[in-house]
Amino acid sequence: MPGGRLTQQERQQIALGVADGLAYAEIARRLDRPTSTVTREVMRNGGPAGYRADLAQRATERRTQRRGQTPSRSPQAPEPAHGRDPEALRAYEETFTTVLVQSGMPTMMARVLTCLFTTDEGSLTASELVRRLQVSPASVSKAISYLDGQGLVRRERDERRRERYVADNDVWYQSMMASARGTAVLAETARQGVGILGADTPAAVRLENIARFVDFVSESISRAADQAREILHTKPESTPDGDTAADGPAAADGTADNGTADNGTADAAAPGPGRG
C-alpha cells in the first residue's frame, strides 16, 4: 500500500469517484490507499458535494508551505498524551472540524469545540485554547461566546478562579434540548399562520403540516435526549465486596440493592433525567 501524500492524479480519481457516487472504500481500493485517507481528503476539502481535485491540490500545497515556514505546533503547544500519534491526531481533528463546519458551524467555533472534545480533561482555559490552536485570544473569546450561546459549552471556575470552558455529556444534552425548544417555537409560529391565512387554504394546510411535522420531531428529540441522558450516562458504582451496583432503581426482578425482596419494589426511587 503506497504511502506519502496524495498526488494530483490521485485527487482527480477521487473526484471522479465521488462524482460517480462510489463509496470511499471503493475509491480507496482502486487507489490502493486506506479508506481513511480518502475519507479525510474529501471531508477536509469541501465534502462529497464540493470536492474538487484542483482546489484540494492547491489547499494541500498551501498547508505544506505554511508548515515549512513555521512549525505546525509551537514549542509551547502540548504534546499528545498516552503515546498518541501526533499526525494521526491532527488529521482526525481536521476531519472532525470539517464535519462540524459542513453542519453549519463557523470554522473557528468548530476548531474550539473539536479541541474541547478531543481533550482528555474535557475542559480548557482561554490561554490553553490559544496555545493549542495557535490563534489569538480574541478569536477564542468570540468562539466561546458563540458556543456558549448555542449551549455547546458551559463556563465554570477552577480552584485558581480561572474560567474554564467545558464540553461534556451534560452540555451536549442541554444543547439538544435547546434545539428541541427552538424547533417547538418554529411549530408554534407556523400554526399561528393557519388562522391568518384561513384554515382551508392551501397555504394554511402547508403550514399546519409543517407544524405537525416539527412538533413530532421536537418531541422525539426531547424524549430521546432524556432517555439517553438517563441510560447512557449512568455509571455503575462499586460495592464493598468489589461488585458493581446500578446507579438508580433496583433490578427488574423486584429485589432491592442488597439482593433481598422488599414487597416486589426497590427502596430507591427511579432516577430522573440528569442523574449519573
Side-chain angles (χ1 to χ4, degrees), residues 26-43:
E26 175 60 21
I27 298 173
R29 186 188 66 77
R30 296 184 180 188
L31 294 175
D32 196 21
R33 290 275 193 173
T35 302
S36 60
T37 298
V38 175
T39 303
R40 186 166 60 245
E41 167 69 14
V42 175
M43 296 305 292

Side-chain angles (χ1 to χ4, degrees), residues 186-198 201-214:
L186 172 60
E188 181 182 351
T189 304
R191 193 163 279 119
Q192 289 173 359
V194 174
I196 296 173
L197 294 168
T201 65
V205 171
R206 186 182 305 114
L207 286 175
E208 179 61 28
N209 287 336
I210 291 173
R212 290 180 180 179
F213 176 83
V214 171

